[in-house]
Amino acid sequence: MRFLLSEYVNLLKEDGELDTLITDLLVAMKCVTISKPQRGRQYGVDIAAEGIDVVDSKKKIFLFAVKQGNLTRSTWDGNINAVRSSLNQIRDSYIPISLPKTKSNLPIKIVVATNGVINQNVLVDWAQYINQNSTDDIEYDFWGTGELSAMLDEYLISEKLFPTEYQSLLRKTLAFLDLPDYNLSHFFDLLDLIFSKQFKQKRQIQKKLRLARLCLNILYKWSHDINNLKPAIYGSERTVLRSWHFLQSGNHLDKKFVSKEFYQIYLLKRAIGINYFNKVHKHYQTEHSLYRYSRNSLEYGLNLWHEIGIISEIGLSEIQQFKIYFREEKKEDSLVFYNSATSIANALCMFIANNPPAKYPNYDEHGIEIALALQLLCLTNNTETAKIWIRNLIVGYKETYHIQKTIPLFIADYDRLVDIINGDEKCNIDSSMIIPILAEHAIILEDADLYELIRKVVEDDVFKDLNLQIWFPTRKMEESIFKNNYSKVEGKLKHSVTLYKNLEEYRTEIISEVELYSVEKEFKVVENGFDNILFTASRHYRGQPFPYTWRKFIKLNTKANH
């Protein structure tokens, strides 16, 4: 946290930002401000306050000269606005003229506060000045980035760190965080506000990205404190997505410093995910582990599919890290991440096996979770578990209709789902995007018998009107992926998908469609090596999964077979 704070503090301007933050810090330290920042210094003083010094627990007057950046030769003693000149003014003019007489009996601490450090070649001058001008009643101190970050961490990890327009939204986020149904709307609005305006200057771009990362870290800390990391999971997803949209829409992706800043946000998201997994993974070994956290069997099923998506994305993030390190030829490090992904995938296998609702998706949009989970299982060599799960899913699809007269609702609607389960409404057999996903993964897994089982279920007379569909993205919708439910209003839909008797015929059709429709492979997020963000966007916004993410393996398998 202190590292994040120091990065943020380093980017603050002297007037209106750094001095305001120091004023808020003093208030948090229970100091009473005598004079606040204003245009033009008053005899070298930017801020004056009265309070207890945390160093020796004595009541003192604090007089601040606020400067921006490092204390260098030129800023120390170069002109009338230099630090030395300000200190002389404070000693010679402010203390005898402007300091209230009622405060004259208190010892004084004069503080030079900057968002930097004292350069090595100025340390001797600084030390000599202190030695020559310190008295029994006047002492000097330096608050640089390190000192400010430490005090901010201890006294002011709250909304006061931020500009006024952000404070209300962050305050509301933290106030509502422990409510079970809180949807983080204020945090999402805060991110929209942070990224609402584009900048060309490096400093401003860095400031926006670091501010977003700091907000996420505060959300993470508070989520940890209330023992519920799910808000941090959702917040990290939105932060990554909005950050990427900000960078792509502003044409910043080709700037070298940008990739470093974004990667820090991405790593924070990964850290939150790993922390969440470490906290809950033991529950995956217990049968019906989620039922105790659900009010009824329906909620049990919905919670389970939600959890499958979270686990899968955490595991796929580890796969992404593996790819990054492998590309950089850091093979030993890359194996650490692959082993981590394998451990998460193994836990997912246990979770699916121990919770029967994993055979019965409630909504057709649970194809999102199925696609993510199968991707992770296939990439970690859990192919047998993947085959068993696909078999259970397609058998469950048929059984659910014959027993309960229902199939996964094509449009998610909780009230309608309840009515159908209670027998108050009939379930229409209309469309399915889940079944093509299952069939195509059967092809990836080279299991002709499994493909045939899926095809025969679809051929059942009761499913003769079932319209199999698959969604494809278009080039023009690339930026909208990171802002909303992209597949709801954009993209192309292939309907009346046919599962041919000959598996190879379907494979050939897929390969030709990869060439024609798989535009996502040309998206900048993929070209920049962050294709995992497509999974994040799909799960977070409930957008359809991107077919190329699994279909590319069908093409690769074909090449391998020839």
Side-chain angles (χ1 to χ4, degrees):
M1 177 62 83
R2 290 189 182 183
F3 175 72
L4 286 173
L5 288 169
S6 65
E7 285 193 316
Y8 176 65
V9 169
N10 282 339
L11 292 172
L12 297 179
K13 294 186 296 185
E14 177 184 338
D15 292 331
E17 293 184 351
L18 183 59
D19 51 10
T20 300
L21 182 61
I22 292 172
T23 302
D24 290 335
L25 174 61
L26 291 170
V27 172
M29 296 171 72
K30 298 182 179 179
C31 294
V32 178
T33 54
I34 299 171
S35 65
K36 294 184 178 181
Q38 53 187 306
R39 287 287 179 185
R41 293 183 179 86
Q42 188 177 17
Y43 299 121
V45 172
D46 292 290
I47 306 167
E50 176 186 341
I52 303 298
D53 191 341
V54 295
V55 176
D56 56 14
S57 300
K58 292 182 179 179
K59 191 173 186 179
K60 297 177 183 177
I61 297 296
F62 294 89
L63 304 177
F64 287 85
V66 181
K67 303 289 183 179
Q68 186 180 33
N70 294 338
L71 200 55
T72 64
R73 281 281 185 196
S74 59
T75 57
W76 166 248
D77 195 14
N79 52 55
I80 193 172
N81 292 317
V83 172
R84 183 171 184 147
S85 298
S86 296
L87 295 178
N88 289 338
Q89 276 189 303
I90 294 171
R91 185 193 64 208
D92 299 336
S93 301
Y94 184 89
I95 293 175
I97 297 174
S98 297
L99 187 66
K101 291 183 178 180
T102 55
K103 312 293 183 183
S104 59
N105 62 328
L106 292 174
I108 296 170
K109 175 176 274 193
I110 300 172
V111 181
V112 176
T114 81
N115 53 353
V117 297
I118 302 177
N119 279 9
Q120 196 74 26
N121 58 1
V122 182
L123 281 172
V124 173
D125 294 327
W126 169 251
Q128 286 181 339
Y129 187 91
I130 292 175
N131 291 336
Q132 293 170 4
N133 293 281
S134 295
T135 66
D136 291 340
D137 296 323
I138 299 176
E139 61 180 307
Y140 293 83
D141 201 359
F142 177 81
W143 290 8
T145 299
E147 292 80 4
L148 285 171
S149 299
M151 287 185 280
L152 289 170
D153 188 23
E154 184 171 355
Y155 297 104
L156 199 66
I157 290 297
S158 73
E159 72 279 355
K160 283 289 186 180
L161 275 169
F162 308 105
T164 305
E165 63 268 28
Y166 302 146
Q167 291 180 15
S168 175
L169 290 171
L170 186 58
R171 189 183 302 119
K172 289 176 181 177
T173 299
L174 302 179
F176 296 143
L177 200 59
D178 58 349
L179 298 179
D181 296 325
Y182 181 51
N183 62 3
L184 286 182
S185 58
H186 301 100
F187 185 77
F188 297 158
D189 288 344
L190 174 59
L191 291 174
D192 289 342
L193 185 59
I194 291 173
F195 293 121
S196 61
K197 186 178 179 181
Q198 285 289 350
F199 294 93
K200 294 182 179 180
Q201 302 92 338
K202 174 181 176 180
R203 184 184 186 86
Q204 290 294 339
I205 296 169
Q206 284 181 317
K207 185 177 176 182
K208 292 291 183 182
L209 294 172
R210 291 180 185 180
L211 182 58
R213 180 155 56 108
L214 186 56
C215 289
L216 174 58
N217 215 301
I218 291 173
L219 176 65
Y220 179 25
K221 180 180 183 297
W222 279 63
S223 297
H224 184 272
D225 289 346
I226 64 172
N227 199 32
N228 179 15
L229 288 178
K230 279 192 175 178
I233 291 282
Y234 309 142
S236 69
E237 292 172 351
R238 184 65 69 93
T239 305
V240 163
L241 293 168
R242 289 297 283 114
S243 299
W244 185 270
H245 179 264
F246 170 75
L247 296 174
Q248 181 167 329
S249 61
N251 296 316
H252 303 308
L253 293 175
D254 59 342
K255 298 166 183 170
K256 290 184 178 180
F257 73 91
V258 159
S259 59
K260 180 181 178 182
E261 294 291 343
F262 176 77
Y263 191 49
Q264 293 303 313
I265 295 175
Y266 185 85
L267 286 179
L268 178 55
K269 175 184 177 295
R270 175 192 170 265
I272 292 170
I274 292 297
N275 194 353
Y276 177 84
F277 175 77
N278 290 337
K279 179 183 176 184
V280 303
H281 76 276
K282 290 183 179 179
H283 294 283
Y284 301 158
Q285 303 171 24
T286 306
E287 289 188 1
H288 307 286
S289 54
L290 279 188
Y291 190 77
R292 71 177 72 177
Y293 303 107
S294 309
R295 289 172 290 189
N296 51 57
S297 58
L298 176 57
E299 192 174 274
Y300 173 28
L302 294 173
N303 289 341
L304 177 133
W305 285 103
H306 190 72
E307 193 71 17
I308 287 175
I310 291 177
I311 307 167
S312 301
E313 196 191 340
I314 293 170
L316 289 169
S317 292
E318 295 302 276
I319 292 290
Q320 184 77 55
Q321 287 296 98
F322 161 74
K323 291 178 181 177
I324 291 172
Y325 278 78
F326 192 82
R327 284 196 299 264
E328 295 175 353
E329 298 185 354
K330 299 177 181 178
K331 293 188 178 180
E332 289 187 10
D333 292 331
S334 69
L335 285 176
V336 172
F337 292 107
Y338 185 78
N339 291 336
S340 174
T342 301
S343 297
I344 295 168
N346 292 341
L348 175 61
C349 292
M350 287 190 292
F351 185 67
I352 291 172
N354 286 327
N355 289 276
K359 303 175 186 177
Y360 312 107
N362 304 100
Y363 301 133
D364 194 71
E365 71 170 30
H366 286 148
I368 297 168
E369 282 71 34
I370 292 171
L372 295 181
L374 288 175
Q375 180 94 256
L376 178 61
L377 295 179
C378 290
L379 289 172
T380 53
N381 204 31
N382 281 286
T383 53
E384 289 306 312
T385 299
K387 291 177 183 180
I388 293 170
W389 190 34
I390 292 173
R391 187 177 300 274
N392 288 338
L393 282 165
I394 195 63
V395 171
Y397 200 97
K398 182 177 180 179
E399 286 180 348
T400 303
Y401 184 79
H402 283 292
I403 296 172
Q404 296 183 342
K405 298 300 179 185
T406 181
I407 63 171
L409 294 187
F410 192 66
I411 298 176
D413 185 332
Y414 182 80
D415 292 335
R416 184 162 180 257
L417 182 62
V418 171
D419 289 341
I420 290 172
I421 291 175
N422 290 336
D424 298 328
E425 187 175 339
K426 183 180 178 181
C427 178
N428 298 321
I429 297 178
D430 40 26
S431 303
S432 173
M433 290 187 172
I434 286 179
I435 289 179
I437 292 173
L438 299 180
E440 294 187 10
H441 277 86
I443 297 175
I444 292 172
L445 294 165
E446 298 291 328
D447 193 325
D449 292 338
L450 184 57
Y451 174 83
E452 182 62 16
L453 173 64
I454 297 169
R455 197 184 66 79
K456 284 185 176 179
V457 167
V458 174
E459 283 188 340
D460 191 310
D461 285 343
V462 299
F463 296 125
K464 64 180 185 298
D465 296 325
L466 187 63
N467 184 2
L468 305 186
Q469 301 179 0
I470 189 165
W471 174 88
F472 297 100
T474 57
R475 281 186 176 85
K476 67 178 182 179
M477 60 173 285
E478 181 176 358
E479 286 189 12
S480 64
I481 291 169
F482 313 106
K483 291 181 63 178
N484 49 41
N485 185 341
Y486 48 86
S487 64
K488 192 172 183 179
V489 293
E490 296 185 78
K492 295 180 179 179
L493 189 67
K494 179 185 177 182
H495 58 83
S496 304
V497 173
T498 301
L499 300 184
Y500 302 108
K501 288 184 178 181
N502 186 339
L503 179 150
E504 293 305 321
E505 190 175 352
Y506 190 27
R507 186 201 298 271
T508 302
E509 182 174 278
I510 291 173
I511 293 170
S512 65
E513 288 178 352
V514 168
E515 297 297 329
L516 291 172
Y517 304 125
S518 296
V519 298
E520 58 264 54
K521 62 186 176 183
E522 299 172 6
F523 287 172
K524 290 182 180 178
V525 70
V526 176
E527 291 178 346
N528 281 271
F530 285 105
D531 45 303
N532 190 63
I533 297 176
L534 295 178
F535 300 133
T536 304
S538 176
R539 203 193 74 77
H540 186 82
Y541 290 125
R542 309 310 298 161
Q544 283 297 315
F546 294 85
Y548 180 71
T549 57
W550 70 81
R551 284 185 156 198
K552 62 184 177 182
F553 296 111
I554 295 177
K555 187 173 183 180
L556 288 173
N557 286 349
T558 303
K559 287 184 176 180
N561 291 337
H562 289 79

